[in-house]
Amino acid sequence: MTAETAPGLQDAGPVDTPTYSELRSVLTAVHRVSRTYDETDHGHSEEVLRLVEPWLPVAKDRMKAAGSPADQGRWQDLVDEVQSGGDYVDAAAAARRLLRTLMEASRPGPSVREIVERLRAEIADGTRPPGSTVSRRRIRADVGLAPASESRVDLALQDLAAGGLVTVDSSNVARVADADQNRPPRDRLDLAADLLRVLISSGTYPRMSPLPPRRELAQILTTERSIVSQVLHRLHGEEILSVYPGVGAVVRPVLPFPVSTPPAPEVLADRLWRAAPSGTDLDHARLRKSCLHTRSWWRNRAVPTCKSLRHARQILVAAAADLLPLVARRHPDDPAAHAVLRRTAVVALHDWPAQRDIEVWRIACLATAVLEVLTLADGAA
């Protein structure tokens, strides 16, 4: 079906339903609060929460019925953002995002899951051959979605990318993957789940502690939020995590494997120094550039030479060894900073994979951690 054969949908305006109208009214009320915002008045955040709170159960119901990991992750993030509180600016932005997403969800057209199933069938029967570009605009027109609902196509592509059926490059261009050149879809999920287990067993995330939000975990594991949602679901089934809608994931008090006591920063620093090469240039500006460069390897699915990978890993391990004691001294009583330091050391010291493409991913995870440590070091008073 094309845009021309989908009457009324391509140029559809707001859907005239009570739900949409109510949401639009609430969004207008949130904007009205914004116009009267005064930094000295601390009641605005509570007013925004009062306006949006009745809609949280609707968002949670959408999340449960999504049938798409990427869509479920999106709803979970929206709910978490609203419930996390914060100052008025953050609260208002979270409320607007939730309300606008609910408004979009009330529009007609196929769900994210239905779009995924359609594209998966077209890939399987050869309608979309390997290497062909997947146009978001064309998909939207074919399934009869209004322009305002193109986010459903984006979420569908996230699910397909997590399953290894499409690739999305650094320019956000999606293509059908070549099955002969890609690992089985479960590998990326397995890798992320394995690393999270290591971080828990090492004491980086102790028993009964909350994990970072899904958005942050996606950065930590350098993967899509849809994969993070699947990882959390898997570890919940393994009785490693308890996952609560609207709250997040918490490490269970009793785990199915031995767990180390969270190591002290000085112990981690000593281990890193023993693993780090000598004579490495640790200028912060050049180090930051090196981190961004090594992360681009994974983002672009490049596989550098063994020599390049070894050199990048040596720089990052040396940087972690140099920065960790500095940050520990400047943030002696900051649990969040110490969690970043523990994670950096664990990722740097854990057994490195033999396969080069998996090593590229691990180096990207380490580069992400080192960038966080750099920020802590450069931002410390």
Side-chain angles (χ1 to χ4, degrees):
M1 180 183 295
T2 66
E4 292 75 19
T5 60
L9 288 182
Q10 176 68 20
D11 299 315
V15 180
D16 190 17
T17 65
T19 298
Y20 191 98
S21 301
E22 291 168 9
L23 286 164
R24 186 169 53 188
S25 297
V26 176
L27 185 59
T28 300
V30 171
H31 286 305
R32 191 178 299 119
V33 174
S34 300
R35 289 196 294 270
T36 63
Y37 173 57
D38 182 345
E39 291 184 1
T40 62
D41 185 347
H42 301 293
H44 285 76
S45 297
E46 290 77 6
E47 176 65 13
V48 167
L49 182 60
R50 184 188 66 78
L51 289 167
V52 76
E53 201 165 25
W55 295 96
L56 287 174
V58 181
K60 292 176 182 178
D61 288 343
R62 289 279 186 180
M63 177 178 65
K64 293 175 184 177
S68 153
D71 202 11
Q72 288 174 339
R74 171 182 67 161
W75 288 113
Q76 183 71 70
D77 287 341
L78 290 165
V79 170
D80 288 347
E81 287 175 358
V82 170
Q83 293 184 327
S84 64
D87 61 19
Y88 165 73
V89 174
D90 290 340
R96 286 193 291 267
R97 281 192 290 270
L98 179 68
L99 293 169
R100 286 169 180 157
T101 304
L102 284 168
M103 291 168 70
E104 187 284 316
S106 70
R107 290 178 176 273
S111 67
V112 175
R113 178 182 56 79
E114 290 168 335
I115 297 171
V116 169
E117 290 175 353
R118 174 172 176 152
L119 292 176
R120 185 180 284 123
E122 291 175 352
I123 292 170
D125 67 16
T127 301
R128 296 182 182 273
S132 61
T133 301
V134 183
S135 165
R136 292 167 173 80
R137 183 177 297 178
R138 185 72 259 170
I139 294 170
R140 172 173 58 73
D142 287 345
V143 301
L145 282 175
S149 296
E150 192 166 300
S151 58
R152 299 185 204 180
V153 179
D154 286 325
L155 292 166
L157 291 176
Q158 287 182 36
D159 281 345
L160 292 170
L165 293 178
V166 304
T167 61
V168 182
D169 63 21
S170 57
S171 301
N172 207 31
V173 175
R175 291 184 174 83
V176 178
D178 185 342
D180 294 333
Q181 296 178 1
N182 285 278
R183 293 182 168 272
R186 65 180 183 275
D187 276 8
R188 289 171 64 195
L189 174 59
D190 290 343
L191 290 171
D194 287 345
L195 182 54
L196 192 51
R197 288 191 202 95
V198 169
L199 292 171
I200 292 170
S201 65
S202 68
T204 298
Y205 301 122
R207 295 182 181 93
M208 301 182 70
S209 67
L211 292 188
R214 281 173 169 78
R215 181 174 298 175
E216 188 176 335
L217 278 174
Q219 295 174 343
I220 289 170
L221 301 171
T222 60
T223 192
E224 296 85 357
R225 273 186 281 173
S226 57
I227 290 184
V228 170
S229 295
Q230 294 177 68
V231 167
L232 296 182
H233 179 75
R234 175 181 289 188
L235 298 192
H236 176 84
E238 295 175 7
E239 299 187 346
I240 297 172
L241 300 175
S242 295
V243 181
Y244 304 101
V247 176
V250 178
V251 181
R252 294 199 179 192
V254 178
L255 295 170
F257 45 67
V259 180
S260 302
T261 302
E266 54 268 21
V267 174
L268 295 174
D270 182 62
R271 294 176 188 169
L272 285 166
W273 274 120
R274 280 181 280 162
S278 58
T280 305
D281 182 2
L282 298 176
D283 174 78
H284 286 198
R286 282 192 286 272
L287 181 57
R288 189 176 296 276
K289 184 176 180 180
S290 178
C291 288
L292 295 173
H293 178 63
T294 53
R295 289 205 309 179
S296 73
W297 288 341
W298 173 247
R299 187 174 64 248
N300 297 323
R301 299 300 188 265
V303 182
T305 65
C306 292
K307 181 178 179 180
S308 297
L309 287 171
R310 183 172 62 253
H311 180 64
R313 189 171 73 186
Q314 289 175 340
I315 290 175
L316 293 172
V317 172
D322 182 67
L323 292 168
L324 193 142
L326 171 65
V327 173
R329 287 195 303 270
R330 293 181 173 178
H331 299 268
D333 303 313
D334 186 343
H338 284 207
V340 173
L341 299 182
R342 288 195 298 268
R343 170 164 56 88
T344 304
V346 168
V347 175
L349 297 171
H350 186 58
D351 295 338
W352 283 84
Q355 300 98 320
R356 276 196 296 161
D357 55 342
I358 300 178
E359 186 178 5
V360 170
W361 170 73
R362 277 284 303 282
I363 286 176
C365 293
L366 180 55
T368 297
V370 169
L371 279 171
E372 291 183 58
V373 178
L374 261 174
T375 299
L376 289 169
D378 292 341

